[in-house]
């Protein structure tokens, strides 16, 4: 039986102790006054549902922290939420949400089902968001234009939900996107087909960073892809046999393809640093942290790795593509419902394709001091980090 890396566990413990003993000062110092995030459902804080309203966003999403659906594809907070909290910032409002948003500390352009590449190509299927990374970048440009326009013309004195014009050089830019480019066509064209366009995905990410650099951005953090071969949804939906599974029950070939993509991304970001000489361009290896959680859940206070908390069917994966989390469906005169487990804090996977709040928190704790970044990037040295509850 494999044993979890002692370095990983020790590192998590030290970070946890540090963060939980930090005093939350009223005026904490931090190099970053805002976060601008680009991504998909892994970091969408409500953009998709603001753009495409439903009568009610599905419960039990949001049950752990918000106690109601919050526009997030999780039972609670996402990594971007925890990062904001650790920097002493409020949750970052979705750019597409017109009511109740406050952009003084940044904006979140991420939407569920977003891709890096434009979705109107033959590579994609229905169910993909129209808000690709290129669209999100254009939204950022419009946001900055509106901010400068507001402050360059007479305007009423008093409270505004917009940040000051100098905010863009004092912000943390995070990019957590690419998973849908990888998974959306796996069933149709397979891994080898997907591999053919992954270099285009990385090229688009690099080009986006260059554009943000021109706009004044100076600190960029790019999160790599998670080990999707461990996702309950893919384990159910993708054809495979027992020889395709490793000792932890994850799909070997798919995780290998993700590892190859991440290595390529890391290499290209290293090259890109030459064209953004006055910036910090950081590759964040969230993949390694999540892989440890999937492989050794017990070692981190969890219990279930490749089993979804919210789903239908029970069994090893508790995932049924016909009845996904929060839904009811009548099949052969039977009403089937996908409900949540009683304790999502024991699970890595929330709904078969997204992480639980518990997993997101553990990932955030592991990355805050720079141990999983290239080059080393310690937020502890730049900010008085706040404890995560």
């Amino acid at each position: 039986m494999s044993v979890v890396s002692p370095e990983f566990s020790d590192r998590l413990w030290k970070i946890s102790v540090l963060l939980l003993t930090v005093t939350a000062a009223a005026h904490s110092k931090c190099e970053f006054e805002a976060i601008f995030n680009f991504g998909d459902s892994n970091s969408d804080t409500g953009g998709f549902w603001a753009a495409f309203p439903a009568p009610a966003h599905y419960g039990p999403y949001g049950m752990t922290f918000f106690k109601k659906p919050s526009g997030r594809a999780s039972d609670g907070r996402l990594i971007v939420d925890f990062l904001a909290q650790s920097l002493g910032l409020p949750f970052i409002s979705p750019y597409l949400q017109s009511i109740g948003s406050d952009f003084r500390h940044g904006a979140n352009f991420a939407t569920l089902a977003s891709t890096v590449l434009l979705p109107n190509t033959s590579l994609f299927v229905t169910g993909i968001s129209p808000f690709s990374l290129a669209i999100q970048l254009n939204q950022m440009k419009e946001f900055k234009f509106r901010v400068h326009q507001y402050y360059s013309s007479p305007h009423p004195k008093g409270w505004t939900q917009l940040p000051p014009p100098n905010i863009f050089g004092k912000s943390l830019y995070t990019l957590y996107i690419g998973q849908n480019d990888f998974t959306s066509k796996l069933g149709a064209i397979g891994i080898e087909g997907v591999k053919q366009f992954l270099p285009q995905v990385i090229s688009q990410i690099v080009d986006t960073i260059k554009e943000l650099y021109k706009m004044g951005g100076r600190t960029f953090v790019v999160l790599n892809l998670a080990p999707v071969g461990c996702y309950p949804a893919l384990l159910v939906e993708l054809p495979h046999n027992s020889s395709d599974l490793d000792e932890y029950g994850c799909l070997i070939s798919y995780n290998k393809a993700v590892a190859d993509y991440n290595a390529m991304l890391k290499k290209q970001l290293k090259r890109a640093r030459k064209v953004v000489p006055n910036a910090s361009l950081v590759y964040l290896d969230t993949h390694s942290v999540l892989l440890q959680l999937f492989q050794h859940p017990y070692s981190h206070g969890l219990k279930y790795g490749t089993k979804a908390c919210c789903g239908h069917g029970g069994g090893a994966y508790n995932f049924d593509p016909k009845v996904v989390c929060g839904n009811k469906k009548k099949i052969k005169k039977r009403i089937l419902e996908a409900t949540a487990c009683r304790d999502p804090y024991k699970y890595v996977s929330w709904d078969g394709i997204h992480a639980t709040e518990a997993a997101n928190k553990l990932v955030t704790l592991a990355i805050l001091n720079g141990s999983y970044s290239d080059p080393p990037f310690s937020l502890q040295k730049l900010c008085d980090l706040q404890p995560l509850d």
Side-chain angles (χ1 to χ4, degrees):
M1 179 178 178
S2 297
V3 179
V4 67
S5 163
E7 293 81 9
F8 179 84
S9 293
D10 183 59
R11 194 178 300 142
L12 266 185
W13 179 83
K14 289 180 179 179
I15 297 170
S16 300
V17 171
L18 171 67
L19 293 178
L20 291 174
T21 55
V22 170
T23 301
H27 300 286
S28 298
K29 296 180 181 179
C30 187
E31 295 288 324
F32 308 111
E33 298 177 8
I35 295 176
F36 290 101
N37 180 70
F38 305 82
D40 51 33
S41 57
N42 291 305
S43 59
D44 180 4
T45 54
F48 182 87
W49 294 105
F52 304 103
H57 181 217
Y58 299 114
Y61 285 89
M63 59 179 278
T64 296
F65 180 81
F66 300 98
K67 308 304 179 184
K68 61 181 180 180
S70 65
R72 292 160 172 81
S74 179
D75 62 308
R77 290 164 289 184
L78 308 175
I79 293 174
V80 67
D81 293 317
F82 283 119
L83 282 176
Q85 284 187 299
S86 71
L87 299 182
L89 301 176
F91 293 140
I92 308 305
S93 294
Y95 174 76
L96 294 171
Q97 180 177 285
S98 58
I99 299 175
S101 288
D102 184 348
F103 299 115
R104 288 176 294 175
H105 296 285
N108 191 352
F109 301 95
T111 65
L112 181 151
S114 286
T115 53
V116 173
L117 301 181
L118 291 171
N120 61 349
T121 71
S122 60
L123 294 173
F124 296 98
V125 293
T126 57
I128 293 297
S129 168
F131 300 105
S132 67
L133 184 58
I135 300 299
Q136 294 180 27
L137 175 61
N138 285 339
Q139 291 172 334
M140 176 67 193
K141 291 179 178 179
E142 176 70 9
F143 180 85
K144 182 179 181 182
F145 171 77
R146 294 286 184 173
V147 167
H148 283 278
Q149 185 182 55
Y150 177 81
Y151 284 100
S152 63
S153 60
H155 57 273
K157 294 183 179 180
W159 182 86
T160 176
Q161 65 177 10
L162 296 176
N166 65 351
I167 196 74
F168 302 101
K170 303 177 181 179
S171 301
L172 181 67
Y173 294 79
T174 53
L175 295 91
Y176 194 8
I177 192 168
Q179 181 171 302
N180 292 312
D181 296 84
F182 188 92
T183 61
S184 63
K185 290 289 286 183
L186 276 177
I189 62 178
I191 295 179
E192 294 306 317
V194 169
K195 285 181 178 179
Q196 299 303 311
F197 65 86
L198 290 181
Q200 301 174 42
V201 172
I202 295 174
S203 178
Q204 184 66 44
I205 290 174
V206 170
D207 288 345
T208 299
I209 292 169
K210 292 177 182 177
E211 288 296 309
L212 292 171
Y213 179 78
K214 292 177 183 177
M215 295 171 62
R218 289 298 178 265
T219 306
F220 307 97
V221 173
V222 182
L223 286 69
N224 65 4
L225 292 191
V228 299
C230 298
Y231 284 6
L234 271 66
L235 285 164
V236 170
E237 296 186 279
L238 294 177
H240 64 276
N241 54 48
S242 58
S243 64
D244 296 325
L245 301 176
D246 63 18
E247 61 183 301
Y248 308 104
C250 299
L251 292 163
I252 298 171
S253 55
Y254 294 97
N255 276 352
K256 172 65 165 56
V258 169
D260 291 343
Y261 168 88
N262 286 338
M264 190 185 343
L265 175 65
K266 183 177 181 180
K267 181 178 180 180
Q268 292 305 315
L269 290 179
K270 183 177 182 180
R271 290 181 177 178
R273 294 186 188 110
K274 297 178 181 179
V275 294
V276 289
N278 299 315
S280 294
L281 176 50
V282 181
Y283 168 86
L284 198 56
D285 186 15
T286 53
H287 174 279
S288 292
V289 186
L290 279 168
L291 188 60
Q292 286 281 349
L293 299 184
F294 277 118
Q295 293 178 342
H296 309 284
Y298 279 96
S299 298
H300 307 290
L302 307 175
K303 185 176 180 180
Y304 302 102
T306 57
K307 183 177 182 178
C309 164
C310 184
H312 173 266
Y317 306 123
N318 191 36
F319 180 84
D320 184 343
K322 298 188 294 296
V323 191
V324 296
C325 178
N327 280 264
K328 292 182 180 180
K329 192 171 184 179
K330 186 175 183 180
I331 300 177
K332 294 181 179 180
K333 298 182 179 182
R334 293 179 58 204
I335 302 297
L336 305 181
E337 183 177 4
T339 57
C341 62
R342 294 183 178 181
D343 191 0
Y345 259 73
K346 294 295 183 182
Y347 290 73
V348 179
S349 176
W350 163 243
D351 58 2
I353 198 70
H354 303 103
T356 58
E357 174 175 289
N360 286 326
K361 184 176 182 179
L362 287 170
V363 172
T364 307
L365 289 171
I367 65 179
L368 278 174
N369 76 339
S371 297
Y372 291 87
S373 61
D374 179 66
F377 180 73
S378 177
L379 282 170
Q380 295 178 19
K381 295 180 180 179
L382 300 173
C383 299
D384 294 332
L385 297 182
Q386 306 302 299
L388 302 181
D389 56 14

